Amino acid sequence: EAQVTQNPRYLITVTGKKLTVTCSQNMNHEYMSWYRQDPGLGLRQIYYSMNVEVTDKGDVPEGYKVSRKEKRNFPLILESPSPNQTSLYFCASSGVSGARSPLHFGNGTRLTVT
Amino acid sequence: GQQVMQIPQYQHVQEGEDFTTYCNSSTTLSNIQWYKQRPGGHPVFLIQLVKSGEVKKQKRLTFQFGEAKKNSSLHITATQTTDVGTYFCAGGATDSWGKFQFGAGTQVVVTP
């Protein structure tokens, strides 16, 4: 089954403790991206990747890092999480046309930073 | 930079009625996509519009892309309880194949 898999689904952590949210897709998609969803703000793009080793900032990249060493994986790294990064995070992927192709979303990761 | 605004934020609809949600961008878009997110779920792709003035229909849903490619609308006729959820528009930047900006969404509540 074609899918985007995020782990974990829920994560509670403390300020400053490094964490990684994993994202994997099995559709051989070139494009992958991360979004955070907050009430009243919709989804805001954090980072995106057009292909392996090619990443770029979205609208809200501060406090986040990403890497794209393999085509299928696009982890989101929070080196020193803060409470304002408490949010619902979505990973998405699409084909060669990047944001001009339909996005396939993972099920989301709800992160709480205390 | 590009800003995508969506109105209304909330829409309470009686079952059987029609409603429209609007999406406006401060800059010209390369394309616009619409997504639906059910409560507790993830966004699911509905449709993409690319051409100026384009109109597409999916059963009771009608999508339009403005002539200037800066605005779009989603019109739902004869609303059903299955239409409950949040509808997002998302616009692609003309100068980047990777940048994508979502509107804040219209949360739709349907009363029987």
Side-chain angles (χ1 to χ4, degrees):
Chain A
E1 181 192 348
Q3 59 186 4
V4 177
T5 304
Q6 287 180 235
N7 279 299
R9 289 294 307 274
Y10 301 92
L11 181 57
I12 301 174
T13 189
V14 296
T15 299
K17 187 176 180 183
K18 181 179 178 179
L19 66 91
T20 299
V21 183
T22 64
C23 175
S24 180
Q25 50 91 8
N26 63 0
M27 295 168 280
N28 200 35
H29 281 166
E30 284 76 12
Y31 178 84
M32 297 185 76
S33 59
W34 277 102
Y35 299 85
R36 60 176 289 174
Q37 183 173 22
D38 303 287
L41 296 177
L43 293 99
R44 291 180 291 168
Q45 191 179 46
I46 303 171
Y47 269 95
Y48 64 92
S49 170
M50 296 299 292
N51 214 324
V52 176
E53 302 292 1
V54 181
T55 63
D56 211 341
K57 297 177 180 178
D59 289 326
V60 289
E62 295 78 19
Y64 305 94
K65 282 176 58 175
V66 292
S67 69
R68 188 91 183 272
K69 294 185 171 61
E70 307 165 281
K71 198 172 188 179
R72 64 183 294 126
N73 296 322
F74 190 44
L76 180 69
I77 303 154
L78 284 73
E79 295 265 357
S80 182
S82 61
N84 64 13
Q85 292 178 299
T86 292
S87 187
L88 177 59
Y89 291 86
F90 287 102
C91 178
S93 72
S94 73
V96 293
S97 298
R100 293 164 197 192
S101 297
L103 292 176
H104 300 257
F105 282 85
N107 286 330
T109 295
R110 188 167 290 281
L111 171 66
T112 302
V113 183
T114 60
Chain B
Q2 178 184 315
Q3 294 263 351
V4 175
M5 309 296 289
Q6 194 174 347
I7 55 169
Q9 190 174 1
Y10 299 100
Q11 182 78 57
H12 290 255
V13 191
Q14 195 85 19
E15 194 171 12
E17 290 182 341
D18 302 352
F19 77 90
T20 304
T21 173
Y22 300 90
C23 186
N24 294 291
S25 170
S26 57
T27 59
T28 303
L29 301 169
S30 64
N31 60 313
I32 196 148
Q33 296 176 1
W34 286 87
Y35 292 81
K36 178 182 179 181
Q37 184 179 25
R38 294 184 187 276
H42 60 273
V44 174
F45 174 79
L46 292 176
I47 209 156
Q48 173 168 269
L49 305 168
V50 178
K51 299 176 186 172
S52 168
E54 191 170 11
V55 178
K56 287 188 176 180
K57 293 191 176 185
Q58 283 182 352
K59 297 182 180 177
R60 295 177 295 103
L61 279 61
T62 301
F63 304 84
Q64 289 189 312
F65 200 9
E67 292 290 340
K69 300 182 74 172
K70 294 176 78 170
N71 56 71
S72 181
S73 64
L74 160 59
H75 181 76
I76 300 182
T77 59
T79 305
Q80 299 176 357
T81 54
T82 53
D83 295 324
V84 165
T86 301
Y87 293 82
F88 293 98
C89 63
T94 53
D95 59 350
S96 166
W97 285 63
K99 282 200 168 175
F100 210 41
Q101 195 168 72
F102 280 76
T106 293
Q107 184 178 344
V108 176
V109 174
V110 181
T111 48

